[in-house]
Amino acid sequence: MSKRIQFSQHGGAEVLEWVDRPEPEPGMGEVRVRNHAIGLNFIDTYYRSGLYPPPALPSGLGNEGAGVVEAVGAGVEDFQPGDRVAYGTGPLGAYAEQHVLPAANLVRLPQAISFEQAAAVMLKGMTAQYLLRQIHPLQAGETVLFHAAAGGVGSIACQWARALGARLIGVVGSAEKAEQARALGAWQTIDRSREDVVQRVMELTDGQKCPVVYDSVGKDTWDTSLDCVAKRGLLVSYGNASGPVTGVNLGILAQKGSLFVTRPILAGYADTPERLRAMAAELFEMIENGHISVEIGQRFALADAAQAQEALTSRQTTGSTILLP
């Protein structure tokens, strides 16, 4: 038997169940991984709440983890038992002692990177990769705005932007998180609990605003983010921490300066094994070269996943949070 977290109905963290199940067997093209560490992400709460419907109920949860290959299914040639691997694009079910997933979704884990580091960084780090390196390749000297700069993705983005020579203005929710973001490489920070974000952006950019704004908060910051984008600039809305953005009037984009908006997800960029592995390779290189330090702010037992999610949604966490089987 094997343990996992699952949910049989949508709701708050209280719907998560710690259950036994038969040991899963890999099918054609699949691999069974014994998880050593599992990543916690906001997207997990979207599936739990029903914002993103899972394929069926009851459902497993989680897209990110790292461990050792235990068994391979027919047709798998790239991996064998004993390989150190990591993953960040699902399928759902990472909140488990063992996870079966397509071999195409796995990457080899360099010896220099621990299972905990990989579980903390795969989804968030590859998200930072496509945000800063693909959607709008950051250039040295550019000034950009990044919401939740002390969070999982933000803590990586601060470091990556600094390595690229870009000036990242990090929006945070407290003085403590502002200090953390600056220590990680943010050029300047804005404490939204006591400062007017738009006013501070205008001051910091001499009225020019930012060519790119990265927003994972969603509904609560949509209007603010639009007001921080420079003429013909880009708003990257890549998350819904406060709820989804709805009722968008495209005419607002014209009024505010012929703006561009995109709503990307990781699966839209890491959509082939080749692209996935290239993104992971660049991320791992940044870690190995010392440009990115993986900030694990919290560790919870896998059985305490509900408690971990409550800490995440109440914004009590900093950096990445991992679950340990």
Side-chain angles (χ1 to χ4, degrees):
M1 299 296 286
S2 180
K3 288 278 194 181
R4 80 163 181 170
I5 293 287
Q6 69 176 34
F7 59 104
S8 301
Q9 61 181 337
H10 296 298
E14 71 280 355
V15 305
L16 298 183
E17 306 166 305
W18 180 235
V19 301
D20 289 305
R21 62 166 177 172
E23 184 174 78
E25 292 297 331
M28 175 69 72
E30 293 182 331
V31 172
R32 185 176 74 229
V33 176
R34 168 71 64 172
N35 282 326
H36 285 225
I38 298 143
L40 179 78
N41 296 283
F42 245 105
I43 194 173
D44 304 342
T45 70
Y46 302 161
Y47 284 107
R48 186 204 70 211
S49 69
L51 177 63
Y52 292 175
L57 292 175
S59 173
L61 196 59
N63 291 291
E64 177 184 46
V68 174
V69 172
E70 281 193 328
V72 299
V76 175
E77 299 179 351
D78 294 344
F79 299 97
Q80 60 185 3
D83 286 346
R84 301 175 78 250
V85 294
Y87 56 92
T89 57
L92 291 178
Y95 284 26
E97 293 175 335
Q98 297 168 303
H99 188 29
V100 169
L101 66 165
N105 292 12
L106 289 174
V107 301
R108 292 188 181 278
L109 186 60
Q111 288 292 335
I113 298 176
S114 72
F115 295 119
E116 289 195 2
Q117 287 177 310
V121 81
M122 279 296 291
L123 190 150
K124 292 172 279 289
M126 289 196 298
T127 295
Q129 195 278 344
Y130 81 72
L131 291 175
L132 305 185
R133 302 285 291 139
Q134 296 191 64
I135 287 181
H136 176 92
L138 281 192
Q139 304 297 316
E142 283 189 305
T143 302
V144 300
L145 187 71
F146 208 103
H147 287 272
V153 176
S155 64
I156 297 169
C158 285
Q159 299 175 74
W160 210 319
R162 176 174 60 185
L164 294 171
R167 297 181 297 187
L168 184 147
I169 303 171
V171 182
V172 296
S174 67
E176 179 185 10
K177 290 188 175 184
E179 183 177 347
Q180 292 167 348
R182 286 193 295 271
L184 289 167
W187 172 63
Q188 297 284 347
T189 57
I190 302 173
D191 182 350
R192 57 178 169 74
S193 69
R194 61 182 183 84
E195 295 180 284
D196 183 290
V197 174
V198 177
Q199 180 180 334
R200 283 293 290 141
V201 166
M202 294 293 284
E203 292 170 356
L204 292 169
T205 63
D206 294 326
Q208 298 302 303
K209 303 184 183 180
C210 298
V212 190
V213 172
Y214 299 97
D215 188 343
S216 62
V217 180
K219 177 173 62 70
D220 289 354
T221 52
W222 173 254
D223 291 331
T224 295
S225 290
L226 285 175
D227 285 337
C228 294
V229 181
K231 188 175 182 180
R232 296 184 298 279
L234 173 65
L235 170 55
V236 183
S237 178
Y238 71 98
N240 313 296
S242 66
V245 177
T246 59
V248 175
N249 175 4
L250 291 179
I252 295 295
L253 304 180
Q255 296 171 22
K256 292 185 180 293
S258 297
L259 307 183
F260 294 84
V261 173
T262 183
R263 178 58 178 91
I265 58 173
L266 176 58
Y269 284 81
D271 58 343
T272 68
E274 295 76 20
R275 277 193 279 269
L276 167 67
R277 290 163 190 171
M279 292 168 67
E282 184 175 3
L283 171 63
F284 292 156
E285 183 180 4
M286 293 291 287
I287 296 171
E288 291 180 282
N289 289 343
H291 295 306
I292 292 177
S293 173
V294 181
E295 301 293 318
I296 301 176
Q298 301 75 215
R299 292 172 174 84
F300 290 85
L302 176 57
D304 297 328
Q307 180 184 345
Q309 287 198 356
E310 287 175 341
L312 179 68
T313 56
S314 61
R315 299 184 180 180
Q316 296 174 15
T317 63
T318 58
S320 296
T321 302
I322 59 172
L323 306 173
L324 300 175

